[in-house]
Amino acid sequence: MWNLAVAARLAAVQQLHRRPIFKANCVTFVSLMEIVKCLHLKARSEVYPCSAVLRFPVPDDKVDWAVPWTNYNPVDYTAPALLKQPSWADLPYRDEGELNKVLKFNQLDGDVDRRSHTGKYNLINGFPRNPCGRTGLKGRGLLGRWGPNHAADPIVTRWKKESGKTVTHNCSGKPILQFVAICRKDNKEWAIPGGMVDPGEKVSATLRREFGEETLNSLDLPEAERQGVKELINFLFEAGEMVYQGYVDDPRNTDNAWMETVAMNYHDETGESVGKLSLQAGDDAGAVKWMDIEKEQNLYASHTHFLHQLVKAKNAHW
Ligand code: RP5
């Protein structure tokens, strides 16, 4: 019964958006339960990150924009840093008329990609509307772009080994997968070392750059060494598999600005190449380590969800 109810709700939501909210990925499929769970929780967390701003509370049954809610009164918040017009953010606009005239939503806008992996998003009074529903906060919050803010997440993995032998888990009997995790400086949460796609940058370049900057500290290396690290990453990242692409349940999301990502897996089957890298935290990362993948981890945003997709495809312990 429960599954039928979930399926009905999902079908309604998908019909609304005319295509799945989350694209099924190349490695495996996304189950109903996972999709429903991904109807953002962290994007509704009470206190907005790096602020004392409280979101207007949105109960589960009111997340969907299709559910009428006349009393919905989201807090309007754009972080003060964005009003100083940093180069990585859209300029502040006086009203929706101006916003709509200047920015080209649902298309490539110069170097800035304003298309969504989830399909065409709606504009309400000129403002892009979060395709996953209400968040209790309008404006851009901490995010630079109105609408989708594109990121890329490199998931670098190896099998856990002890004395040269692959370790299997006591309960599941399955081999344990490890990934390169960073501890984010901004909120001290463990995460995949992802980052924002720069305007005009290819996702493949973002994946390499972010991995180099956050886990190999490439920004602080002398030029000669930096070149070496770059070549190594280029070699390691030649073959990758897509794990996920779509909306991210990020705590910074708002009704008008949200995170999307492409998560790619680079797996070292023997542990002889990437598995031997000497990790060093840099840039936005306060720490870096090889972390066992297991379901108890509560990683940043929906990173646990991406790892679950990968673990299923590799038949690893969860
Ligand atoms: C998440 O935020 C993405 O999955 C990616 O890991 C990250 C990008 O934001 P920054 O790390 O650049 O803040 O939503």
Side-chain angles (χ1 to χ4, degrees):
M1 272 313 279
W2 182 86
N3 267 345
L4 280 179
V6 170
R9 174 167 157 71
L10 180 70
V13 173
Q14 288 187 347
Q15 178 59 30
L16 191 72
H17 296 283
R18 295 213 168 73
R19 53 193 291 191
I21 290 174
F22 293 94
K23 274 188 188 171
N25 60 58
C26 303
V27 180
T28 182
F29 66 93
V30 182
S31 76
L32 278 182
M33 184 55 196
E34 281 151 357
I35 294 172
V36 171
K37 256 206 237 155
C38 284
L39 282 177
H40 58 212
L41 290 174
K42 296 189 181 178
R44 287 184 281 146
S45 46
E46 189 186 12
V47 184
Y48 191 83
C50 304
S51 78
V53 175
L54 299 182
R55 291 177 189 267
F56 187 84
V58 179
D60 291 355
D61 63 347
K62 293 272 189 351
V63 170
D64 194 339
W65 293 109
V67 176
W69 191 10
T70 42
N71 293 335
Y72 181 55
N73 187 18
V75 179
D76 193 351
Y77 177 65
T78 295
L82 291 191
L83 304 176
K84 292 186 191 145
Q85 310 187 358
S87 57
W88 46 269
D90 292 335
L91 299 177
Y93 296 98
R94 276 188 304 271
D95 56 42
E96 67 270 20
E98 193 179 13
L99 177 75
N100 220 353
K101 246 182 264 157
V102 182
L103 305 184
K104 298 189 175 79
F105 290 116
N106 283 305
Q107 51 187 300
L108 201 55
D109 183 4
D111 273 350
V112 180
D113 194 351
R114 300 193 194 277
R115 296 168 295 186
S116 167
H117 294 300
T118 68
K120 195 170 176 190
Y121 48 87
N122 291 323
L123 299 177
I124 305 296
N125 298 330
F127 289 97
R129 190 165 78 169
N130 188 318
C132 263
R134 298 180 175 101
T135 68
L137 193 136
K138 63 183 182 180
R140 277 179 295 162
L142 284 165
L143 297 177
R145 307 283 173 204
W146 293 98
N149 287 251
H150 289 285
D153 284 295
I155 310 175
V156 173
T157 54
R158 69 178 183 189
W159 295 112
K160 183 174 187 172
K161 290 197 175 168
E162 271 167 21
S163 313
K165 285 198 171 154
T166 305
V167 180
T168 52
H169 193 269
N170 290 345
C171 300
S172 67
K174 291 185 175 178
I176 297 171
L177 204 56
Q178 296 183 313
F179 81 108
V180 177
I182 57 144
C183 184
R184 293 176 63 100
K185 275 185 189 160
D186 56 355
N187 52 26
K188 308 283 179 290
E189 287 187 57
W190 285 92
I192 296 164
M196 300 291 189
V197 180
D198 287 340
E201 187 178 44
K202 286 200 172 126
V203 168
S204 56
T206 312
L207 290 157
R208 289 162 204 232
R209 180 174 55 72
E210 289 292 336
F211 190 75
E213 290 174 5
E214 297 193 342
T215 74
L216 302 171
N217 195 20
S218 61
L219 288 177
D220 286 347
L221 293 177
E223 183 51 36
E225 276 183 58
R226 192 184 310 170
Q227 200 48 37
V229 164
K230 209 170 158 188
E231 280 165 24
L232 178 67
I233 296 176
N234 281 344
F235 171 73
L236 296 172
F237 279 34
E238 248 167 30
E241 276 192 281
M242 190 190 288
V243 175
Y244 178 86
Q245 90 177 345
Y247 183 87
V248 184
D249 183 15
D250 191 292
R252 294 169 292 187
N253 292 352
T254 75
D255 284 0
N256 311 116
W258 59 92
M259 291 297 306
E260 298 199 9
T261 199
V262 174
M264 296 285 295
N265 176 223
Y266 304 96
H267 179 64
D268 179 7
E269 185 62 27
T270 61
E272 291 300 312
S273 55
V274 59
K276 293 247 158 89
L277 281 177
S278 150
L279 302 174
Q280 200 190 334
D283 198 33
D284 296 338
V288 59
K289 67 176 182 184
W290 284 98
M291 186 182 266
D292 294 358
I293 301 181
E294 51 197 353
K295 69 165 166 282
E296 287 74 26
Q297 279 151 353
N298 185 15
L299 302 176
Y300 181 69
S302 34
H303 290 186
T304 306
H305 171 74
F306 308 158
L307 294 181
H308 191 198
Q309 303 310 303
L310 180 62
V311 157
K312 282 191 285 185
K314 294 214 169 291
N315 198 21
H317 168 71
W318 181 245

